[in-house]
Amino acid sequence: MLTSITEGILCCLTGKSGGVVLPVESSDSRPADGFEFVEVKPGRVLRVRHVLPERPAVSQHPAQLGSSVHCKRKITVYRNGQLVIENLGDVLHAEILQCPDGDVEPCGTVEVELADYANAPSSPDPKPTPPLPASDQQRPAPPPRRRRRKPKRTLLIDSERHISSCKGTHPDVALFFIHGVGGSLDIWGRQLDFFSRLGYEVIAPDLAGHGASTAPQIAAAYTFYALAEDLRAIFKRYARKRNILIGHSYGVSFCTFLAHEYPEQVHKVVMINGGGPTALEPSLCSIFQLPSCVLHCLSPCLAWSFLKAGFARQGAKEKQLLKEGNAFNVSPFVLRAMMSGQYWPEGDEVYHAELTAPILLVHGLHDKFVPMDEDQRMAEILLFAFLKVIEEGSHMVMMECPETVNTLLHEFFLWEPDVSGKDPVSKATAGRTPTDTANETAEKQAGETGTPKASKAPNK
């Protein structure tokens, strides 16, 4: 603590911030196998962990891969800020992905279905006029006509989307893991190891100023748009035909950006504690608006606050997880620039409502950074969204409950929608849920590759 205060005073006197240029050393003591350094711009180098396991190619007939879903919705925005979404195509109302019953990490789930706005009025109901007194010779007055307000803009989405199961043995599948503010690719350690062992190609970058990536000295290098262009370069470099994006906290915004920019290549998205579908705007009254030297003095307090708010429990295990994951181990300058650069006015509810990829929302029940109602609102706005709440987890749920998160993610990767209910002839499969499909697919994969089957738990 005294050392941090002394360094902070020197920082204020000299006008220089320690640890601004050089990246933080990685705490990973393993060999550098799978780590690459990619220059996204001149002098801007990101560390990327890229694992491409040796896997036998499995050829399947195209008719056996997934189902086609009609994505059609009308989004109307009125001048008073009202947003009306009408789902005109297929809407997936189903419970998927059960958390496993296990002695290691027992957990419960809460399901929030996608709200159906098909019967929503196109404008608010005006105040009704009082009815006239009825008599034998007088007919009842007709209902008053609704006064339609002129919409500010109207968007129509009409497309067919092919949603299929993504196995590690498929050579056209790649998983992208994107961390948030103060993190690094090391926070995904358990997920990267798990899915690479299953045969998946995994890609996880360090954002600029985080982990072992370079840390530029200008604040403009850490705006949302600058970081989004970095991730666009990483995505274009490693993308396959079917890509799955997994984001945590601030990283969810970048997943949304990539899914919106590349709808044909982004097959599915996972959002972990990402918050609501609101446009990003930095807070002017935040503690992160203080000078970097002051933040340097307060760094022990900030690290303790992050430990208390980011984990459901604050013991030796959680402190070790922070150390191993290189979490919240960035310079005060980078931290201040990241928080001040979160300006993304385009990422509002309409922007999120335009997404057609299936999205899994994972929320830690004890998260003190992201309230539950924000992820619930996200589930209502998105077209195909499934919300899962892990009772034992908090903001860093993928580090606290890795087995539970890995199982949820894996079953979501294997899941494909069952559209047989549309066909009246197929009565035998009309009662199937996507959970059954995911587990049957997992059992089939276990027979092909020898990997463990995904656990199936009773409904809670």
Side-chain angles (χ1 to χ4, degrees), residues 357-412:
I359 297 176
L360 172 65
L361 302 168
V362 180
H363 187 90
L365 183 62
H366 301 280
D367 191 350
K368 297 181 179 63
F369 291 112
V370 180
M372 170 74 72
D373 55 357
E374 290 193 14
D375 273 331
Q376 290 176 341
R377 180 60 176 169
M378 181 74 86
E380 294 175 355
I381 291 296
L382 296 171
L383 179 60
F384 301 135
F386 308 94
L387 172 61
K388 285 299 174 179
V389 178
I390 300 180
E391 291 183 353
E392 298 295 320
S394 183
H395 192 67
M396 308 299 290
V397 63
M398 64 283 184
M399 302 177 70
E400 297 174 292
C401 311
E403 288 83 6
T404 301
V405 172
N406 291 345
T407 302
L408 286 176
L409 266 60
H410 191 206
E411 292 186 351
F412 180 62

Side-chain angles (χ1 to χ4, degrees), residues 2-222:
L2 183 60
T3 304
S4 298
I5 296 177
T6 305
E7 292 177 354
I9 295 175
L10 293 175
C11 165
C12 292
L13 293 177
T14 60
K16 297 180 180 179
S17 178
V20 174
V21 180
L22 295 179
V24 179
E25 292 295 333
S26 172
S27 62
D28 197 339
S29 59
R30 292 170 296 180
D33 295 341
F35 290 94
E36 304 173 3
F37 288 88
V38 180
E39 188 175 25
V40 292
K41 290 181 180 179
R44 193 176 176 97
V45 181
L46 303 185
R47 180 184 68 152
V48 179
R49 185 177 179 187
H50 178 213
V51 181
L52 180 59
E54 298 180 359
R55 55 193 178 187
V58 178
S59 60
Q60 293 186 355
H61 194 273
Q64 299 177 355
L65 295 176
S67 304
S68 293
V69 178
H70 187 196
C71 304
K72 185 176 182 180
R73 63 182 352 192
K74 182 180 179 182
I75 307 171
T76 307
V77 184
Y78 293 91
R79 298 187 182 278
N80 63 348
Q82 182 192 17
L83 176 67
V84 176
I85 302 177
E86 300 176 67
N87 291 322
L88 309 176
D90 298 331
V91 179
L92 303 179
H93 288 283
E95 181 178 357
I96 66 171
L97 310 175
Q98 298 297 324
C99 289
D101 278 340
D103 298 331
V104 180
E105 295 183 13
C107 65
T109 62
V110 177
E111 182 74 21
V112 177
E113 292 185 344
L114 178 68
D116 192 355
Y117 295 89
N119 298 323
S122 58
S123 62
D125 293 334
K127 294 183 179 179
T129 57
L132 298 175
S135 61
D136 297 337
Q137 293 83 12
Q138 189 178 19
R139 295 182 180 179
R145 292 184 179 181
R146 290 179 178 176
R147 184 179 179 182
R148 289 184 173 270
R149 295 184 179 181
K150 185 177 180 180
K152 183 178 180 180
R153 58 172 172 156
T154 301
L155 301 176
L156 182 62
I157 300 173
D158 190 356
S159 63
E160 288 284 337
R161 189 172 189 98
H162 192 74
I163 305 173
S164 60
S165 171
C166 298
K167 299 181 181 180
T169 53
H170 295 163
D172 63 339
V173 174
L175 310 182
F176 288 82
F177 292 84
I178 304 176
H179 66 82
V181 177
S184 71
L185 64 85
D186 297 324
I187 67 173
W188 301 109
R190 301 290 294 272
Q191 286 72 43
L192 299 178
D193 293 340
F194 177 81
F195 288 106
S196 60
R197 286 197 303 266
L198 291 179
Y200 285 93
E201 179 179 2
V202 297
I203 301 98
D206 278 334
L207 297 181
H210 294 67
S213 296
T214 56
Q217 300 185 49
I218 56 175
Y222 302 99

Side-chain angles (χ1 to χ4, degrees), residues 225-431:
Y225 297 102
L227 298 172
E229 289 303 318
D230 291 348
L231 294 174
R232 184 203 295 269
I234 296 296
F235 181 80
K236 293 174 67 175
R237 178 185 178 94
Y238 296 101
R240 301 291 182 180
K241 184 177 180 181
R242 293 184 297 166
N243 304 278
I244 302 178
L245 308 179
I246 305 97
H248 171 252
S249 192
Y250 191 26
V252 169
S253 298
F254 300 113
C255 291
T256 304
F257 170 79
L258 292 175
H260 198 276
E261 291 289 308
Y262 303 97
E264 299 298 329
Q265 291 180 271
V266 175
H267 201 65
K268 297 176 182 178
V269 181
V270 178
M271 301 180 176
I272 302 178
N273 293 329
T278 56
L280 296 182
E281 185 174 351
S283 175
L284 299 178
C285 300
S286 172
I287 188 176
F288 298 103
Q289 297 296 327
L290 296 173
S292 301
C293 54
V294 178
L295 291 177
H296 191 83
C297 297
L298 299 177
S299 57
C301 299
L302 294 176
W304 178 82
S305 301
F306 180 81
L307 175 66
K308 188 175 180 59
F311 290 87
R313 299 180 180 87
Q314 296 83 38
K317 176 185 176 182
E318 285 71 26
K319 294 180 180 178
Q320 184 65 23
L321 288 176
L322 277 181
K323 183 178 179 181
E324 294 176 354
N326 244 345
F328 213 74
N329 190 19
V330 297
S331 70
F333 174 83
V334 172
L335 183 61
R336 182 177 186 272
M338 288 283 291
M339 300 303 294
S340 301
Q342 293 185 3
Y343 179 71
W344 185 36
E346 295 86 1
D348 56 4
E349 291 185 340
V350 178
Y351 190 92
H352 287 78
E354 292 178 308
L355 298 179
T356 59
I359 297 176
L360 172 65
L361 302 168
V362 180
H363 187 90
L365 183 62
H366 301 280
D367 191 350
K368 297 181 179 63
F369 291 112
V370 180
M372 170 74 72
D373 55 357
E374 290 193 14
D375 273 331
Q376 290 176 341
R377 180 60 176 169
M378 181 74 86
E380 294 175 355
I381 291 296
L382 296 171
L383 179 60
F384 301 135
F386 308 94
L387 172 61
K388 285 299 174 179
V389 178
I390 300 180
E391 291 183 353
E392 298 295 320
S394 183
H395 192 67
M396 308 299 290
V397 63
M398 64 283 184
M399 302 177 70
E400 297 174 292
C401 311
E403 288 83 6
T404 301
V405 172
N406 291 345
T407 302
L408 286 176
L409 266 60
H410 191 206
E411 292 186 351
F412 180 62
F413 299 164
L414 299 178
W415 169 79
E416 59 186 45
D418 182 11
V419 296
S420 59
K422 297 181 182 179
D423 187 3
V425 180
S426 305
K427 297 182 179 180
T429 58

